[in-house]
Each structure stands twice: as C-alpha cells, then as structure tokens.
C-alpha cells in the first residue's frame, strides 16, 4: 500500500515528539499498520528546526499553503490556541484533508463549528491527544464503552495542578512555594493561570462530556474553580478525616440536566483516583453496564502526547481510502443524534461538602451552626473542632452528606451572618466516587 | 442502514448479559452506531431460556446450523471451552461469518489455528471480553498504543485470586478459609483450580503478550504458579516490608526473549496495582513512548463482560460491509509481521525475590546464608530476622535485588543444604513495576 502523507503544523514539544515517534518507531508502526507514514510537509516558525527535525519533508512557511498541498492526506495541527490553528484547521477540512489535533481549547470552544464542517466534507477529525495526553481515553469513551449509557466521568486531567496538590500534601507546603518549585522543574509555565485556574481541565472535561452524553460542546457552561486559593490547612484536615484533595473535572448526567464542573474536590483516600500523584493523569468513568473503569497514565509531555497523535494518524490511515458510512462518529454518537442538553447551573448540582469555619470559641457556637445547616436540610456527616487559632477563636471542620448546592450556599450565608463567625467560610466540594 | 444480524451461541452468564445489554441499551447503541443490532438466532441447551431471553430470535438446537444461517452476519460464541466452541467457531469462519468471543482458553490454545483461517476467509475475530472483562484493554493494546514499542505488561487478571488475596491480607485469614468464603459469595467456583492455579490468568497474559509483541500464541510456554500454597505469614511479612502480594500475569520483552509468567508477586504498596482490591482487575502496560499506563475495571460478571462483547459487535458492524484492506489486524500486527520469538524458560527470567527461611537460632546462621547468596552474585536488599518459631528455630526474611532466576535457585539449593536450615525455603517473586 502507498504511504500516508502527513502535513505537520508546528514543531513545538508535541510536534517534535510526533516527528520522533514516527522516526524511531517507523518499523514497529508499519508492522502494525501495513503501510508507511511519511511526513511530506512541515510548517514551523523556524525553518532550521524544521529541516533538522524532518529532513525529507518539504518546508512550508505558510500554513494555508500546507493544508492545500496535494501530497498531504492528513493535517496534524500542533500549533495550539484558537488563532491560526483554527483558521488552518477549518481551511484544511474545506480542502478535504483529515485532521489530527491535540488542541483541546480549539475543540472545546469551536468544536460545534469544526465537527459539522468535517461531516459535510467527509473528513475525519481525531483528537486523542487533546485529553489526558497518552491515555487512550477518547477511544475508550467512543468505542470501548460504546455498549453503555455513561453515567459520570471524574478525572485528574491537569498534571500541573496534580503535581502542586501532591507536593502540598506531602510536604505541607503553601501553594505559592510549590508553584515556584513546579515552575523551576518545568511542570508549570511562567504564566500558570490556564492550568491552575481550571481552564485546561475545563476544556478536557467539556470534550469528554460531549462524547459521553452525545451533546454539542458546552465549554461556556462549564464551571471553573482552580487551586490557587487552596489553604494547605484544608489539605491537612482533609487527610486527617481520610480524604485527599484533587482538582477534578466532573461531568454527570442527572434527571434535570448535565453537571459539568472543575474544582478542588475531597475524595476518600482509598479510591484509586486519590492515589494518582505527581503529574500523572487518570480518568474514572462510571457506565451502566461495565460499572467503574479507570484509565491512568501520563497526561502531558512530548512523547506520551505524540503516542496519542500517532495512534490517531494510524486510525485514519486505516480508513483513509475506505468508504465513509461506517466510521466511528467524531463525537461518539451519529451526527443526527447529537442532542443539546441542559447544563445544570452550579446551584442545582448535587455534592457533599467540606466546610472550615473560624468562630469564637464559646459555648453554643457549634449548636448554632448545626441548627443553620439543619434549617437548610443539610445533614452532617462529621463536625469536628480542630485546633484553636488564638485564645478566642476555634476552627471547626464540617463534612456534610449529599445535598443540592443552593442549600449549602444558603446555609453558608446564614452561618456567615452569625456574630461569632469570621467570614469567609472555606467550602470545598467532596465526591465519594461511588456513582 | 440495515440491521446487523447476530447469532448467539450460549445463554449462560455472559450470553444472558449480552442479550440484556442489546435489549436495554438498544437506543443508546443505535444513537452511536447508526444501525440496529438484532439477535436473529440463538442456540442454547435450554429452549425455554432461549425463547424467554430472545423472544424475537429463531431458536436453533444445533450450533452448526446456527453458524450456517443466512440471517447471521456475526457469530457471538459464548459457550466457553475448547470442545464444541472450537468446532463451531472454525465452521463459522469457514462459512464467512465474523466472530465475537469471550473465550480466552480457545484463543490462547488454538488462536494459531483460528486467526490464520480468519485471515484466509476475510472475516473479523474480536475478543475484547476474553481479557479483563469490561476493561477495553485489547483495544488499547491494538489501537490506542499502536505508536509504541511495548516493553512489558503486568496485570491482575483473575478476580477470584485477587479477592482471595485481598481477604487474606485484610483479615489475616488462611487461604483455605477465604476460598470457602469466596465460594459462598459466588466469587469462586466449586472447582476453583482453573482460577487459583493461574491457568485463567495464563490464558489472558498469553493473549496480551501476542498482541504486545506481534508473536503467535504461546500458552504452552507460559509459566503457571497459583496462590493455593501461599502462607498468610508471607502476606503479613510482605506488608511489614511495604509490599503487597498479588497474582500477576507478566510478560516482558528482553534482549534474550520474552518472559511469560503467572505467579504470586510482591509489589511495592505505593503502586496503583497494589491497591486494586477484591474482584477488580487492572492491567499495567509499559511502552516506550507513552510510558506507564494502567487500565482498571471489572474483570468478570454478566454485564461488564457483555459490555465488551457488544463493543466488539459494534466494531464489526462498522466494518462489516467495508473493504477488508484497512482493518485493525487481529493480533495488532499485520499477519505477515507476526513473528515467533523465544519464550524464556523461568531459569532465564530476571526478577527480585522474597525468601523466607526457617533456621536454627544460633550464631553464624545469618552469615552463612548471606555468604551463599553472595556466592551466586545475589545481592541483598534486606535481611531481617522475624519472630522466633520455637526455642531453637528463627524465621528469616530476605529481599534480594534483581537477579537471574537460576542464580536464586542455586542459592536456595545451597542454603537448603545447610544443616541449620529447614526445607523447603519459601520463595516469592517481586516486581518493582518500574520497567
């Protein structure tokens, strides 16, 4: 069979990794695929880097020229972002090129434009590398679990945040100190906002939610709360109570709509997700027939991400000349079956909660707080007086049972209105990961 | 598109589950697939069960009649075993039917006959349910990780054994007692040999080894050692040293050949695999580009296994009318690229070891043992005198660094020859899971 011709947009970390994987594992890949994968053209700001990395490929300065070339069957977009990347991908699709991309932001924010165009043009858009790096989670959701109604997904899908939280727990360090360490190690960028404030995880859980439930992308409705305001005391108290705090992307189908949210979350320490440390990623899927499954691996890095990019190229290479009727649909469901669904506002989601309250250390305080929670029908799993901050102030930690978020918010407002309580109360969501 | 017609062989646990998944999730499946999956014929010993479970399917008494029917596109073999199941599958393939099977024994022992025939007849044989139940590990090995050279696989792939080991550890109970409990709970069969002596895990690791390295099936060369002789003291001592004992299926590519083995194994308690408890399964894959990935879920049970069976049917339904040139190859590699490779005899494998020695509690014993290990170039990670058994006998636990198995065996023989040592010495293999 003739080779599959790749046009590569971008030779950054993942682009360089992709070239390395295609070069170093060429033989093993063609043992599997039965044909060769050839980088025929490459576009990068640095011509020198392009010529060094892909010596037998044509160097193309203009991405729009690359996506129009006759010797390109598959465009691999590794620019990132939603500027040129978006325009080049749309143009490539118009030109009938298949697409492989690692660009979570592009798909979560513009997927509703990209996928319908791809269907119209009969091209394949693959994006395994966009979620959880080298873990084949998109394939699992779209094919491996295709017999199931998916109920919920919870994932550690941002390695930077997970590294910071792991270090804060192990060393008892403050957020700002660990962030500096992570930056020195190259695990966090100079401007880490995107990772630590939940945007990156939000893009990824948005994509997984669409695949799981057969909906359009809904990033604008995704609740984002990062880890920058986490106090290491809360990590310590959580641990004393048998929990770890992780930044989770969560999506769950309920009778009223879909929950779609990213926030720090207490999870019981016995759960596998609680034991995923450092920069590693893991995604837990709960589905009606198979029950709980979990997928673990490297969520970033040149070679792990390139492993997913190249798997996507191989998938396309198998189908590139086949008929189009029997492909795996882009968003797991047939295009006509993709249905918009309500994304629940945060007030309507269901969760358990960890509260930390600083209050005057005097008789009756605990009782007053408990009464205000009861008034909102919030039932208490544990209410513990932790250390005394100073002579007159005590710190109280409360774990609640499951409730609708608006009730806990009302209760918090009522408790904050007490004279004996300091504002603000710390509130962190908690998931048992049993559904 | 017209429906895909299924012929179902066997309505036992998994067969009944498959009928249930196809019935209860028909709508969600066809939202994904774009066509209907219809059970057109069913074969079971009980006609009554068949009519109740699949009321709109034809009941067929003779499996060879079913695999010849014109209204059957895909034969789903859920008889199990290698008697009628084998003959029916081979006949179905000769008749040009695609196959879905959960039969690990059939594939591990007769795969070298089945797959070449399937290639000759241009039919697809899918077997996701044969390994680790509902976990999509076959798809991960064959497609998700297709860009990698796979280095090693280690898996907890027998739920019965894992349940027994988990209970022995948690409750300090003896093997025989926990086995009885497992039988009462339905987690172990009346004759549990197949599960507890490693045969079942051996079939599964044989299949994964072939997929990982592109070799024929090699079950007869797979080393099998079960858990029935495990002493709960060794579980306790291992735990004191920071290890858990799991029944692992292991396969690893080395310069000299492939390791292929099933045995109880010490693994560091911090590893995710060490924390996979009860009847759950998990498979860790180490590959050159993506690094370590892990896949966790239910390894057995009607609905989880059926989830995998139906995913396979969906895969075939997508390809059933497409051309044959671009399919995912059965054993991950193109048929012409499947290469026989040496399976290393156990004497040649590399591992670390846990030894428990009962010896006279007298000066010089430890020194003599250490000298005999040194003589075989076995280096010691830890050598600890545990409790004293009686007035004159002490129990010594030794952890070694990595060595070739023949050296540890020579050292054991030499130590057992000492007058002061009781025979036999307990030896359990140990894996760091870092490669």
């Amino acid at each position: 069979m003739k080779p599959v011709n790749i046009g590569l947009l971008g030779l950054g970390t993942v682009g360089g990794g992709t070239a390395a994987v295609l070069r170093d594992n060429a033989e093993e890949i063609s043992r599997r695929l039965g044909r060769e994968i050839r980088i025929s053209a490459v576009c990068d700001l640095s011509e020198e880097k392009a010529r060094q990395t892909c010596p037998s490929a044509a160097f193309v300065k203009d991405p729009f020229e690359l996506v129009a070339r006759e010797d390109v069957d598959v465009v691999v977009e590794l620019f990132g972002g939603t500027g040129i990347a978006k325009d080049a991908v749309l143009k490539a699709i118009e030109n009938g090129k298949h697409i492989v991309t690692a660009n979570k932001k592009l798909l979560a924010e513009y997927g509703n434009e990209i996928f319908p165009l791809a269907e119209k043009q009969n091209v394949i858009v693959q994006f395994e590398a966009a979620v959880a790096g080298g873990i084949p989670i998109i394939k699992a959701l779209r094919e491996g679990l295709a017999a199931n109604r998916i109920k919920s997904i919870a994932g550690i899908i941002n390695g930077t945040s997970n590294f910071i939280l792991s270090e804060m727990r192990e060393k008892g360090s403050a957020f700002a100190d660990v962030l500096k360490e992570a930056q020195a190690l190259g695990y966090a960028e100079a401007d880490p906002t995107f990772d630590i404030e939940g945007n990156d995880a939000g893009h990824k859980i948005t994509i997984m939610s669409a695949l799981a439930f057969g909906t359009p992308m809904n990033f604008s409705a995704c609740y984002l709360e990062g880890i920058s305001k986490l106090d290491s005391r809360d990590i310590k108290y959580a641990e004393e109570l048998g929990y770890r705090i992780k930044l989770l992307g969560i999506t769950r189908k309920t009778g009223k709509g879909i929950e779609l949210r990213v926030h720090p979350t207490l999870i019981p320490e016995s759960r596998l997700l609680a034991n995923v440390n450092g920069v590693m990623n893991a995604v837990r899927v709960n589905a009606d027939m198979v029950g709980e499954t979990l997928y673990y691996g490297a969520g970033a890095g040149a070679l792990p991400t390139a492993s997913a990019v190249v798997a996507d190229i191989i998938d396309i290479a198998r189908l590139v000349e086949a008929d189009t009727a029997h492909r795996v649909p882009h968003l797991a469901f047939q295009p006509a079956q993709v249905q918009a669904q309500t994304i629940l506002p945060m007030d309507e989601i269901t969760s358990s909660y960890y509260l930390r309250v600083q209050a005057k250390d005097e008789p009756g305080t605990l009782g007053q707080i408990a009464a205000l929670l009861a008034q909102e029908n919030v039932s208490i799993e544990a209410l513990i007086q932790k250390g005394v901050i100073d002579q007159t102030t005590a710190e109280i930690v409360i774990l609640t049972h499951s409730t609708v978020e608006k009730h806990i918010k009302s209760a918090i407002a009522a408790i904050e209105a007490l004279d004996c309580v300091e504002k603000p109360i710390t509130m962190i969501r908690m998931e048992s990961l049993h559904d």
Side-chain angles (χ1 to χ4, degrees), chain A residues 264-341:
Chain A
T265 315
L266 275 78
I267 49 182
E269 65 188 3
S270 62
R271 312 289 297 166
L272 284 183
L273 268 188
N275 293 287
V276 171
N277 293 315
V279 294
M280 300 303 280
N281 279 202
V283 179
R284 174 189 188 267
V285 182
N286 191 19
D288 64 345
M289 295 301 173
V290 74
E292 175 185 17
T293 55
L294 180 138
Y295 309 84
Y296 166 91
L303 297 178
T305 310
S307 163
V309 168
V310 174
D312 277 350
I313 297 174
I314 293 170
D315 269 6
I316 293 179
R318 289 194 169 117
L319 294 167
V320 81
E321 284 152 4
D323 71 333
T324 58
H326 304 91
R327 290 175 183 163
V328 179
H330 289 121
L331 297 181
F333 293 80
Q334 297 292 317
Q337 295 294 332
V338 172
Q339 291 156 357
Q341 293 198 47

Side-chain angles (χ1 to χ4, degrees), chain A residues 21-61:
Chain A
V21 170
L22 287 173
R23 183 188 63 231
D24 295 347
N25 280 357
E27 199 191 338
E28 192 82 336
I29 291 167
S30 111
R31 275 186 76 204
R32 290 200 176 91
L33 176 58
R35 66 199 300 183
E36 192 197 334
I37 297 171
R38 199 167 67 94
I39 302 177
S40 41
V42 60
C43 169
D44 191 79
L45 287 178
S46 158
E47 179 169 352
E48 198 194 332
K49 193 199 243 177
R51 297 214 180 278
Q52 276 180 358
T53 314
C54 309
S56 60
F59 173 76
V60 183
K61 209 164 190 166

